[in-house]
Amino acid sequence: MQNNIKILFFLFLFISETLAKEQFIFDVTKIEILENGNIFKGSEKGIIKTNDGIIIKADSFEYNKISNILKAKGNVEIEDTLQNHYIFSDNIIYEKNKEIIKTKDNSKALYNDGREIKADNFEYFKLSNTLNANGNVEIEDGTKNIIIYADDITYEIDKEKLFTKGSTKSNIQSKYSFQSKNVEFLLDKNEISSKEKTIVKDNNNNLLLNLSSFLYLINKEIIKGNDI
């Protein structure tokens, strides 16, 4: 009995010392160590923390010590405690050396100012605090009462700047619908604009404007642009 206790104790010390050298701290129900200690697999739910404020919860994970890459699957929840926002997805890959988190399928990001972004996939660049979302993107700004739909968006969080790539539709303040391309949303200035052709309709789908470009001043509820 005493020998078994000693073995378990030294095994615990080995695992703790090995993981401490890495940039992840694991709190998991079940863990396997494979390939001479270079692969760690966790199952039956767990929590992974980094030394720079990231907390990841998932059903299972796999960590490659050599590449310093973490993969997590199943009900993944990521909290960036320093930036104060959350990311949810079915699958994520965290490339720790590059500080890039990639999500796949059923991705959602929540921000403390009430902004929500949904998409198929995300790429979160932690060093620049920038999120790229692609595939069925929907942005909802509850504070400003704005919803934006696009195939690809980039959100520069520190600059409070959001821009779309390609076809974009916006529902603004339950009054207007904008159909355009390559739209820029400046959050701090409360402005939405595009240099592309834009169709503006009311909430009853009646055509209001056909513009070569537009600028919408959110607080003043003013649309500026040139008619086609």
Side-chain angles (χ1 to χ4, degrees):
M1 181 66 178
Q2 290 181 344
N3 289 336
N4 290 338
I5 293 174
K6 289 180 179 179
I7 291 171
L8 289 173
F9 177 72
F10 285 121
L11 179 60
F12 172 79
L13 288 179
F14 169 75
I15 294 172
S16 301
E17 182 181 357
T18 302
L19 295 180
K21 295 177 182 178
E22 314 304 332
Q23 294 168 309
F24 293 102
I25 301 170
F26 300 94
D27 181 4
V28 296
T29 304
K30 183 178 179 180
I31 191 167
E32 293 181 85
I33 303 176
L34 307 171
E35 297 186 17
N36 297 318
N38 291 321
I39 302 293
F40 298 88
K41 288 187 176 182
S43 58
E44 300 178 11
K45 298 187 181 299
I47 299 174
I48 305 100
K49 298 180 180 181
T50 71
N51 53 8
D52 55 359
I54 296 289
I55 301 173
I56 302 171
K57 299 177 182 178
D59 291 343
S60 63
F61 73 88
E62 179 177 316
Y63 174 59
N64 187 311
K65 177 182 174 182
I66 295 181
S67 63
N68 205 15
I69 292 176
L70 175 76
K71 297 179 181 179
K73 295 182 179 181
N75 301 304
V76 184
E77 176 185 324
I78 303 168
E79 179 184 1
D80 190 327
T81 59
L82 299 183
Q83 299 297 337
N84 196 22
H85 62 246
Y86 294 83
I87 294 175
F88 305 87
S89 185
D90 292 338
N91 304 276
I92 69 109
I93 297 175
Y94 187 0
E95 300 180 14
K96 191 68 175 70
N97 292 340
K98 297 179 180 179
E99 290 294 357
I100 298 174
I101 298 176
K102 299 178 181 179
T103 75
K104 183 179 180 182
D105 301 328
N106 195 29
S107 303
K108 180 171 70 173
L110 297 177
Y111 299 89
N112 61 350
D113 52 7
R115 194 165 299 107
E116 178 178 305
I117 300 175
K118 298 178 183 178
D120 294 337
N121 311 306
F122 289 158
E123 277 190 286
Y124 174 48
F125 302 87
K126 190 173 184 296
L127 296 179
S128 63
N129 199 20
T130 299
L131 178 79
N132 176 258
N134 63 80
N136 301 303
V137 184
E138 178 182 331
I139 306 159
E140 183 172 358
D141 191 316
T143 303
K144 296 178 172 60
N145 192 16
I146 292 172
I147 302 176
I148 298 174
Y149 304 92
D151 291 326
D152 188 285
I153 71 99
T154 298
Y155 182 16
E156 297 179 355
I157 300 166
D158 292 338
K159 296 179 181 179
E160 295 191 71
K161 177 180 178 182
L162 189 152
F163 52 91
T164 74
K165 182 188 294 184
S167 179
T168 305
K169 182 179 179 180
S170 308
N171 292 327
I172 299 177
Q173 297 173 322
S174 302
K175 294 181 178 181
Y176 306 109
S177 172
F178 288 74
Q179 295 179 9
S180 188
K181 292 181 179 179
N182 306 328
V183 171
E184 184 176 71
F185 185 5
L186 302 180
L187 304 169
D188 57 340
K189 295 182 178 180
N190 288 298
E191 294 180 358
I192 299 179
S193 64
S194 174
K195 297 179 181 179
E196 304 285 348
K197 177 181 176 180
T198 301
I199 295 173
V200 183
K201 297 181 180 181
D202 64 17
N203 59 357
N204 292 317
N205 206 35
N206 297 313
L207 180 63
L208 298 178
L209 298 167
N210 196 351
L211 307 172
S212 60
S213 62
F214 84 93
L215 169 64
Y216 183 68
L217 306 178
I218 297 169
N219 290 343
K220 297 179 179 179
E221 297 186 19
I222 294 175
I223 303 172
K224 295 183 179 182
N226 298 315
D227 291 328
I228 294 176

